[in-house]
Amino acid sequence: MSPKFLSRTALYAATALPLGGCARGVLDPAGPVAAGNRIILLNSLTIMLAIVIPTILATLLFAWWFRAGNKKAEYKPEFAYSGRLELLVWSVPALIVIFLGGIAWIGSHDLDPSRPLESKVPPLRVQVIALDWKWLFIYPDQGIASVNRVVAPVGTPVAFQITSATVMNSLFVPQLGGQIYAMAGMETKLHLQADRPGSYQGLSAHYSGRGFPGMMFRMDAVSAQQFAGWIAGAKRSGPLLDRAGYLALLKDSENVAPYTYRAVAPGLFDAVVKDSGTLSAKRAKDGRQQ
């Protein structure tokens, strides 16, 4: 192969590498929440470019016009103030801030994570517990649980109840919507929905220790029939998530492959919220005493 071919190939690879990171992310939404987030990002970018691009062009124009060889450019060393320039300099940024603030204010209400999504289909309840370093998903209405995998029917809103059994964490599915924090002793809510079948990567968006890089999970959007089959299959196999099973799950582990529990002890999520809050308060007290 010729050096010219190799250099051209390297150039193409270097160009494609940053674009590969953009695929299947926040700019490729698969649900209504992510689509709303994308609109906010693009609108904000457009508004900011409305001042960034003219500023760059004006800088280049000024440098060209006031060059040393241009005899037509007027040199005014005594110039100090212009009301028109002051109005332009302050009004344009003020309008940008007003527009961006309006977009953020409207979007934060329309896309409130705790706000249920409008749908004729009843939401699927999923309780989430952040552990070291894995995610536990409990289906209270179906009586099963899974580790590092969420399965939901396409077009069905998923109502997440989220907490942490250890340190603060953050649940994030880029293609389906914004992130929300998981905190010990607290319950946060997040509503997401997948509008098309697929397997969407979820991750931890808050550093939580040694196993943080591998704290990933999948959210699979499937048909109603496939979801019913997955529930039935989970109930036929897997261990029981009782107190002993949960205590075993609490042990630190990294890069855990997805698996399911055939049954879950009633009230486990509420007990974790209560117990984790007590444990966090005790740790804080111990820290102050030290």
Side-chain angles (χ1 to χ4, degrees):
M1 291 182 290
S2 65
K4 187 175 182 180
F5 174 80
L6 291 175
S7 62
R8 185 179 302 174
T9 304
L11 177 61
Y12 290 159
T15 305
L17 183 61
L19 295 178
C22 298
R24 301 182 63 81
V26 293
L27 297 181
D28 181 24
V33 178
N37 290 335
R38 180 189 179 192
I39 291 174
I40 292 177
L41 285 173
L42 295 180
N43 287 345
S44 300
L45 176 63
T46 302
I47 292 173
M48 288 184 286
L49 288 179
I51 189 173
V52 171
I53 292 178
T55 300
I56 294 174
L57 295 177
T59 302
L60 298 175
L61 177 62
F62 271 62
W64 174 80
W65 180 255
F66 290 101
R67 67 192 186 277
N70 186 11
K71 304 301 181 181
K72 297 181 180 180
E74 297 183 37
Y75 177 59
K76 298 180 179 180
E78 304 299 326
F79 176 83
Y81 177 80
S82 170
R84 293 180 179 178
L85 283 179
E86 289 290 330
L87 179 62
L88 178 65
V89 168
W90 289 104
S91 62
V92 175
L95 289 174
I96 297 297
V97 171
I98 291 173
F99 290 151
L100 290 176
I103 288 177
W105 188 86
I106 295 172
S108 63
H109 286 78
D110 290 344
L111 300 175
D112 183 356
S114 62
R115 181 179 179 179
L117 300 177
E118 295 183 4
S119 176
K120 296 180 180 179
V121 182
L124 172 68
R125 291 200 304 145
V126 178
Q127 297 170 335
V128 186
I129 303 175
L131 303 166
D132 291 336
W133 285 272
K134 49 195 170 288
W135 296 95
L136 173 63
F137 301 97
I138 301 174
Y139 291 74
D141 298 328
Q142 287 75 25
I144 67 163
S146 65
V147 173
N148 285 347
R149 189 187 182 196
V150 186
V151 180
V154 174
T156 298
V158 182
F160 290 101
Q161 298 170 265
I162 305 171
T163 191
S164 174
T166 57
V167 298
M168 181 185 293
N169 224 299
S170 181
L171 183 143
F172 187 26
V173 186
Q175 284 188 269
L176 296 182
Q179 62 160 336
I180 195 71
Y181 277 94
M183 294 170 281
M186 299 181 64
E187 176 187 332
T188 52
K189 296 181 180 180
L190 177 66
H191 293 82
L192 299 178
Q193 177 179 313
D195 289 337
R196 64 173 188 257
S199 182
Y200 307 105
Q201 182 176 358
L203 51 91
S204 168
H206 186 93
Y207 181 73
S208 58
R210 184 184 66 248
F212 163 77
M215 197 171 173
M216 305 284 187
F217 67 91
R218 292 200 332 266
M219 183 166 178
D220 296 329
V222 299
S223 66
Q225 293 78 10
Q226 289 174 318
F227 176 71
W230 179 74
I231 294 293
K235 289 184 176 181
R236 289 193 301 265
S237 61
L240 171 65
L241 186 58
D242 53 9
R243 178 176 176 80
Y246 176 72
L247 292 177
L249 189 62
L250 271 178
K251 297 178 181 179
D252 297 354
S253 55
E254 302 179 37
N255 303 312
V256 179
Y259 64 91
T260 58
Y261 289 93
R262 69 177 187 275
V264 182
L268 177 61
F269 179 82
D270 295 333
V272 171
V273 173
K274 182 179 178 180
D275 294 344
S276 298
T278 303
L279 181 60
S280 297
K282 183 178 183 300
R283 288 175 176 172
K285 181 179 179 180
D286 294 342
R288 288 193 299 267
Q289 291 176 348
Q290 293 175 358

Coordinates of all heavy atoms in Angstrom, one line a residue, residues 87-136:
L87 N -25.7 50.3 23.6 CA -27.0 49.6 23.4 C -26.8 48.2 22.8 O -27.4 47.2 23.2 CB -27.9 50.5 22.7 CG -29.3 49.9 22.4 CD1 -30.1 49.7 23.7 CD2 -30.1 50.8 21.5
L88 N -26.0 48.2 21.7 CA -25.8 47.0 21.0 C -25.0 45.9 21.9 O -25.4 44.8 21.9 CB -25.0 47.2 19.7 CG -24.6 46.0 18.8 CD1 -25.9 45.4 18.3 CD2 -23.7 46.4 17.7
V89 N -24.0 46.4 22.6 CA -23.1 45.5 23.3 C -23.9 44.9 24.5 O -23.7 43.7 24.8 CB -21.9 46.3 23.9 CG1 -21.2 45.4 24.9 CG2 -20.9 46.6 22.7
W90 N -24.8 45.6 25.1 CA -25.6 45.1 26.2 C -26.9 44.5 25.9 O -27.4 43.5 26.6 CB -25.8 46.2 27.3 CG -24.5 46.6 28.0 CD1 -23.8 47.7 27.7 CD2 -23.8 45.9 29.0 NE1 -22.7 47.8 28.5 CE2 -22.7 46.6 29.3 CE3 -24.1 44.6 29.6 CZ2 -21.8 46.2 30.3 CZ3 -23.2 44.2 30.6 CH2 -22.0 45.0 30.9
S91 N -27.6 44.9 24.9 CA -28.9 44.4 24.5 C -28.9 43.0 23.9 O -29.7 42.1 24.3 CB -29.6 45.4 23.6 OG -28.9 45.5 22.3
V92 N -27.9 42.8 23.0 CA -27.8 41.4 22.4 C -27.6 40.3 23.4 O -28.3 39.3 23.5 CB -26.8 41.4 21.3 CG1 -26.6 40.0 20.7 CG2 -27.2 42.4 20.2
P93 N -26.5 40.5 24.3 CA -26.3 39.4 25.3 C -27.5 39.3 26.2 O -27.9 38.2 26.7 CB -25.1 39.9 26.1 CG -24.4 40.8 25.1 CD -25.4 41.4 24.3
A94 N -28.2 40.4 26.6 CA -29.3 40.3 27.5 C -30.5 39.5 26.8 O -31.1 38.7 27.5 CB -29.8 41.7 27.8
L95 N -30.7 39.7 25.5 CA -31.7 39.0 24.8 C -31.3 37.5 24.7 O -32.2 36.6 24.9 CB -31.9 39.5 23.4 CG -32.5 40.9 23.2 CD1 -32.5 41.3 21.8 CD2 -34.0 40.8 23.7
I96 N -30.0 37.2 24.6 CA -29.6 35.8 24.5 C -29.9 35.1 25.9 O -30.4 34.0 25.9 CB -28.1 35.7 24.2 CG1 -27.8 36.2 22.8 CG2 -27.6 34.3 24.3 CD1 -28.5 35.5 21.7
V97 N -29.6 35.8 27.0 CA -29.8 35.3 28.3 C -31.3 35.0 28.5 O -31.8 34.0 29.1 CB -29.2 36.2 29.4 CG1 -29.7 35.7 30.8 CG2 -27.7 36.2 29.3
I98 N -32.1 36.0 28.1 CA -33.6 35.9 28.2 C -34.1 34.7 27.4 O -34.9 33.9 28.0 CB -34.3 37.2 27.8 CG1 -34.0 38.3 28.7 CG2 -35.8 37.0 27.7 CD1 -34.5 39.7 28.3
F99 N -33.7 34.5 26.2 CA -34.1 33.4 25.4 C -33.7 32.1 26.0 O -34.5 31.1 26.1 CB -33.6 33.5 24.0 CG -34.2 34.6 23.2 CD1 -33.5 35.3 22.2 CD2 -35.5 35.1 23.5 CE1 -34.1 36.3 21.5 CE2 -36.1 36.1 22.8 CZ -35.4 36.7 21.8
L100 N -32.4 32.0 26.4 CA -31.9 30.7 27.0 C -32.6 30.4 28.3 O -33.0 29.3 28.6 CB -30.4 30.8 27.2 CG -29.5 30.8 26.0 CD1 -28.1 31.0 26.3 CD2 -29.7 29.5 25.2
G101 N -32.8 31.5 29.1 CA -33.6 31.3 30.4 C -35.0 30.8 30.1 O -35.5 29.9 30.9
G102 N -35.6 31.3 29.1 CA -37.0 30.9 28.8 C -37.1 29.5 28.4 O -37.9 28.7 28.8
I103 N -36.1 29.1 27.5 CA -36.1 27.7 27.1 C -35.8 26.7 28.2 O -36.5 25.7 28.4 CB -35.0 27.5 26.0 CG1 -35.4 28.1 24.7 CG2 -34.7 26.0 25.8 CD1 -34.4 28.1 23.6
A104 N -34.9 27.1 29.1 CA -34.6 26.3 30.3 C -35.8 26.2 31.2 O -36.1 25.1 31.8 CB -33.4 26.8 31.0
W105 N -36.5 27.3 31.4 CA -37.6 27.3 32.4 C -38.7 26.5 31.8 O -39.3 25.7 32.6 CB -38.0 28.8 32.6 CG -39.1 28.9 33.7 CD1 -38.8 29.1 35.0 CD2 -40.5 28.9 33.5 NE1 -40.0 29.2 35.7 CE2 -41.1 29.1 34.8 CE3 -41.4 28.8 32.4 CZ2 -42.4 29.1 35.0 CZ3 -42.7 28.9 32.6 CH2 -43.2 29.0 33.9
I106 N -39.1 26.7 30.6 CA -40.2 25.9 30.0 C -39.8 24.4 29.9 O -40.6 23.5 30.3 CB -40.5 26.4 28.6 CG1 -41.1 27.9 28.7 CG2 -41.5 25.5 27.9 CD1 -41.2 28.5 27.3
G107 N -38.6 24.1 29.5 CA -38.2 22.7 29.4 C -38.1 22.0 30.7 O -38.5 20.8 30.8
S108 N -37.7 22.7 31.7 CA -37.5 22.1 33.0 C -38.9 21.7 33.6 O -39.0 20.8 34.4 CB -36.8 23.0 34.0 OG -37.6 24.2 34.2
H109 N -40.0 22.4 33.2 CA -41.3 22.0 33.6 C -41.9 21.0 32.7 O -42.6 20.0 33.2 CB -42.2 23.3 33.6 CG -41.9 24.2 34.8 ND1 -40.8 25.1 34.8 CD2 -42.5 24.4 36.0 CE1 -40.8 25.8 35.9 NE2 -41.8 25.4 36.7
D110 N -41.8 21.1 31.4 CA -42.3 20.1 30.5 C -41.7 18.8 30.6 O -42.3 17.7 30.4 CB -42.2 20.6 29.0 CG -43.1 21.8 28.8 OD1 -44.0 22.1 29.6 OD2 -42.8 22.5 27.7
L111 N -40.4 18.8 31.0 CA -39.6 17.5 31.0 C -39.2 17.2 32.5 O -38.2 16.5 32.7 CB -38.3 17.6 30.2 CG -38.6 17.8 28.7 CD1 -37.3 18.0 27.9 CD2 -39.4 16.7 28.1
D112 N -40.0 17.6 33.4 CA -39.8 17.3 34.8 C -39.7 15.8 35.0 O -40.6 15.1 34.7 CB -40.9 17.9 35.7 CG -40.7 17.7 37.2 OD1 -39.7 17.0 37.5 OD2 -41.5 18.2 38.0
P113 N -38.6 15.2 35.5 CA -38.4 13.8 35.7 C -39.5 13.1 36.5 O -39.9 12.0 36.2 CB -37.1 13.6 36.4 CG -36.3 14.9 36.1 CD -37.4 16.0 36.0
S114 N -40.1 13.9 37.5 CA -41.1 13.3 38.3 C -42.5 13.4 37.7 O -43.5 12.8 38.3 CB -41.1 13.9 39.7 OG -41.4 15.3 39.6
R115 N -42.6 14.0 36.6 CA -43.9 14.2 35.9 C -44.3 13.0 35.1 O -43.6 12.7 34.2 CB -43.9 15.5 35.1 CG -45.2 15.8 34.3 CD -45.1 17.1 33.5 NE -46.3 17.4 32.8 CZ -46.4 18.5 32.1 NH1 -45.4 19.4 31.9 NH2 -47.6 18.7 31.4
P116 N -45.4 12.4 35.3 CA -45.8 11.2 34.5 C -46.0 11.6 33.1 O -46.5 12.7 32.7 CB -47.1 10.7 35.2 CG -47.1 11.3 36.5 CD -46.4 12.6 36.4
L117 N -45.7 10.7 32.2 CA -45.8 10.9 30.7 C -47.3 10.6 30.3 O -47.9 9.7 30.9 CB -44.9 9.9 29.9 CG -43.4 10.1 30.2 CD1 -42.7 9.0 29.4 CD2 -42.9 11.5 29.9
E118 N -47.8 11.5 29.4 CA -49.1 11.3 29.0 C -49.2 10.1 28.0 O -48.5 10.0 27.0 CB -49.6 12.6 28.2 CG -49.6 13.8 29.1 CD -50.1 15.0 28.3 OE1 -50.5 14.9 27.2 OE2 -50.2 16.1 28.9
S119 N -50.1 9.2 28.4 CA -50.2 8.0 27.6 C -51.6 7.3 27.9 O -52.0 7.4 29.1 CB -49.1 7.0 27.9 OG -49.2 5.8 27.2
K120 N -52.1 6.6 27.0 CA -53.3 5.8 27.2 C -53.0 4.5 27.8 O -53.9 3.7 28.3 CB -54.1 5.6 25.9 CG -54.6 6.9 25.3 CD -55.3 6.6 24.0 CE -55.8 7.9 23.4 NZ -56.5 7.7 22.1
V121 N -51.7 4.1 27.8 CA -51.2 2.9 28.4 C -50.8 3.1 29.8 O -50.1 4.0 30.1 CB -50.1 2.3 27.6 CG1 -49.6 0.9 28.1 CG2 -50.5 2.2 26.1
P122 N -51.2 2.2 30.8 CA -50.8 2.4 32.2 C -49.3 2.2 32.3 O -48.7 1.4 31.6 CB -51.5 1.2 32.9 CG -52.7 0.9 32.0 CD -52.2 1.1 30.6
P123 N -48.6 3.0 33.1 CA -47.2 2.9 33.2 C -46.7 1.6 33.9 O -47.5 1.0 34.7 CB -46.8 4.1 34.1 CG -48.1 4.4 34.9 CD -49.2 4.0 34.0
L124 N -45.5 1.2 33.5 CA -44.9 0.0 34.1 C -44.0 0.5 35.3 O -43.1 1.3 35.1 CB -44.0 -0.7 33.1 CG -43.1 -1.8 33.6 CD1 -43.9 -3.0 34.1 CD2 -42.1 -2.3 32.6
R125 N -44.3 0.0 36.5 CA -43.5 0.4 37.7 C -42.3 -0.4 37.8 O -42.3 -1.6 37.8 CB -44.4 0.3 39.0 CG -45.5 1.2 39.1 CD -46.0 1.4 40.5 NE -46.3 0.1 41.1 CZ -46.1 -0.3 42.4 NH1 -45.5 0.6 43.2 NH2 -46.4 -1.5 42.8
V126 N -41.1 0.3 38.0 CA -39.8 -0.3 38.2 C -39.1 0.4 39.3 O -39.0 1.6 39.3 CB -39.0 -0.3 36.9 CG1 -37.6 -0.9 37.2 CG2 -39.7 -1.0 35.8
Q127 N -38.7 -0.4 40.4 CA -38.0 0.2 41.5 C -36.5 -0.1 41.3 O -36.1 -1.2 41.0 CB -38.5 -0.4 42.8 CG -40.0 -0.1 43.1 CD -40.6 -0.9 44.2 OE1 -40.1 -2.0 44.5 NE2 -41.6 -0.4 44.8
V128 N -35.7 0.9 41.5 CA -34.3 0.9 41.2 C -33.5 1.1 42.4 O -33.7 2.0 43.2 CB -33.9 1.9 40.1 CG1 -32.4 1.7 39.7 CG2 -34.8 1.8 38.9
I129 N -32.5 0.2 42.7 CA -31.6 0.4 43.8 C -30.2 0.3 43.2 O -29.7 -0.6 42.6 CB -31.8 -0.8 44.8 CG1 -33.2 -0.8 45.3 CG2 -30.8 -0.6 46.0 CD1 -33.5 -2.0 46.3
A130 N -29.4 1.4 43.5 CA -28.0 1.5 43.1 C -27.2 0.8 44.1 O -27.2 1.2 45.3 CB -27.6 3.0 42.9
L131 N -26.4 -0.1 43.7 CA -25.5 -0.9 44.6 C -24.0 -0.7 44.1 O -23.8 0.0 43.1 CB -25.9 -2.4 44.5 CG -27.3 -2.7 44.9 CD1 -27.6 -4.1 44.5 CD2 -27.5 -2.5 46.4
D132 N -23.1 -1.3 44.8 CA -21.7 -1.3 44.4 C -21.4 -2.6 43.7 O -21.3 -3.6 44.4 CB -20.8 -1.1 45.7 CG -20.9 0.3 46.3 OD1 -21.3 1.2 45.6 OD2 -20.6 0.4 47.5
W133 N -21.1 -2.6 42.4 CA -21.3 -1.6 41.4 C -22.2 -2.2 40.4 O -21.7 -2.7 39.3 CB -19.9 -1.1 40.9 CG -19.2 -0.3 41.8 CD1 -19.2 1.1 41.9 CD2 -18.2 -0.7 42.8 NE1 -18.4 1.5 42.9 CE2 -17.8 0.4 43.5 CE3 -17.7 -1.9 43.2 CZ2 -16.8 0.4 44.5 CZ3 -16.8 -2.0 44.2 CH2 -16.3 -0.8 44.9
K134 N -23.5 -2.1 40.6 CA -24.5 -2.7 39.8 C -25.8 -2.1 40.1 O -26.0 -1.3 41.1 CB -24.5 -4.3 40.1 CG -24.6 -4.6 41.5 CD -24.3 -6.0 41.8 CE -24.2 -6.3 43.3 NZ -22.9 -5.8 43.9
W135 N -26.8 -2.4 39.2 CA -28.1 -1.8 39.4 C -29.1 -3.0 39.6 O -29.1 -4.0 38.9 CB -28.6 -1.1 38.1 CG -27.7 0.1 37.8 CD1 -26.7 0.2 37.0 CD2 -27.9 1.4 38.3 NE1 -26.2 1.5 37.0 CE2 -26.9 2.2 37.8 CE3 -28.9 2.0 39.2 CZ2 -26.8 3.6 38.1 CZ3 -28.8 3.3 39.5 CH2 -27.8 4.1 38.9
L136 N -30.0 -2.8 40.6 CA -31.0 -3.8 40.9 C -32.4 -3.2 40.5 O -32.7 -2.1 40.9 CB -31.1 -4.2 42.4 CG -32.2 -5.0 42.8 CD1 -32.2 -6.4 42.1 CD2 -32.2 -5.2 44.4

